[in-house]
């Protein structure tokens, strides 16, 4: 698809995917609550994401490339690639997405040598961006099949998804090597990043348990000192461990407020706040409005 280059430097931050809860993949429906809002900041994840636009249109920025998308278009974002999107025509665009860690996914199903797969999955030639179905029919078929498989859970689902995700990335890598297209991710030392991944998984899975996500407990889990944990967290997430936990809680809270009918009190307890007043105060400081006001705005 055609795109234009945006030279304007945008604020970029790490955004944890708290709803995945440490799993190797998660399929979810997403929508953008701010139609027509200009893209003024970017975020990145530690997981890959692929998806299909099921409704609406808008703009999608990936690194410095700004694409226009419409219903039916496909997105593929490598881990650590900055991106964001907006919507047009007065209503939020909707996407069906799968977020995944290919190494964890392959390890779960016992498929391939994980070191070999890691080398494929982290190849510099992997492309991130938007493409229309008629541009890459084979890649589009893989995305549609992955989404279809995720909606029928049985004993073969994990293996089937792992097979199609692997095939998608390999096909994408081969195509883009041939066409000399490349998008380099952020300068991330994956070996050191994975040293703190047990702490990140613990936070995402047990953020409601304050004792389990204390800095000392996380440092022991990663077999390192608290000072080293703080240094690596700052390097690879942009946050201290405490700030990362607060950010993870607010990210999860925003999702629950926007996508569920859970009461505000239950959401507060779910993400680890014993008093709803404190939760309301932090939510408002983060999003500029109370949870109730936010829910009324996006519903």
């Amino acid at each position: 698809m055609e795109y234009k280059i945006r030279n304007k430097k945008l604020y970029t931050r790490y955004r944890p995917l708290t709803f995945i809860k440490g799993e190797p993949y998660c399929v979810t429906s997403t929508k953008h609550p701010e139609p027509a809002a200009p893209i003024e900041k970017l975020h990145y994840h530690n997981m890959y994401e692929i998806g299909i636009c099921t409704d609406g249109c808008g703009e999608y920025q990936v690194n410095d490339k700004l694409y226009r998308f419409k219903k039916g278009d496909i997105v593929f974002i490598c881990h650590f690639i900055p991106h964001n999107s907006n919507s047009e025509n007065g209503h939020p665009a909707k996407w069906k997405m799968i977020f995944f860690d290919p190494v964890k996914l392959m390890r779960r199903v016992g498929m391939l040598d994980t070191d070999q797969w890691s080398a494929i999955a982290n190849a510099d030639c992997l492309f991130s961006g938007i493409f229309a179905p008629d541009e890459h029919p084979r890649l589009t078929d893989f995305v549609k099949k992955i989404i279809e498989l995720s909606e029928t859970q049985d004993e073969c689902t994990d293996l089937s998804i792992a097979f199609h995700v692997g095939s998608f990335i390999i096909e994408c890598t081969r195509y883009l090597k041939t066409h000399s297209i490349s998008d380099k991710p952020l300068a991330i030392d994956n070996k050191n990043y994975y040293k703190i991944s047990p702490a990140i998984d613990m936070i995402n899975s047990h953020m409601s348990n304050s004792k389990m996500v204390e800095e000392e407990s996380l440092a022991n889990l990663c077999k390192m000192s608290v000072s080293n944990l703080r240094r690596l967290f700052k390097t690879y997430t942009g946050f201290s461990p405490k700030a990362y936990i607060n950010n993870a809680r607010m990210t999860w809270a925003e999702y629950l407020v926007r996508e569920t009918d859970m009461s505000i009190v239950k959401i507060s307890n779910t993400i680890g706040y014993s008093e709803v007043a404190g939760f309301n105060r932090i939510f408002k400081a983060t999003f500029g409005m109370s949870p109730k006001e936010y829910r009324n705005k996006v519903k």
Side-chain angles (χ1 to χ4, degrees), residues 79-80 118 122 185 187-195 236:
H79 59 353
F80 307 121
S118 181
N122 292 310
I188 298 293
D189 178 349
N190 288 319
K191 182 178 180 180
N192 274 328
Y193 171 80
Y194 281 112
K195 288 181 180 179
Y236 295 110

Side-chain angles (χ1 to χ4, degrees), residues 255-264 266-267 295 299:
Y255 172 80
L256 293 176
V257 169
R258 173 167 48 88
E259 299 292 344
T260 76
D261 294 321
M262 289 175 62
S263 70
I264 302 303
K266 186 170 179 59
I267 291 174
R295 173 171 280 171
K299 286 294 187 182

Side-chain angles (χ1 to χ4, degrees), residues 250 253 264 267-268 271 273 275-283 291:
M250 285 299 103
I264 302 303
I267 291 174
S268 173
I271 66 172
Y273 289 92
E275 297 182 359
V276 71
F279 166 69
N280 285 337
R281 184 177 63 254
I282 295 173
F283 190 98

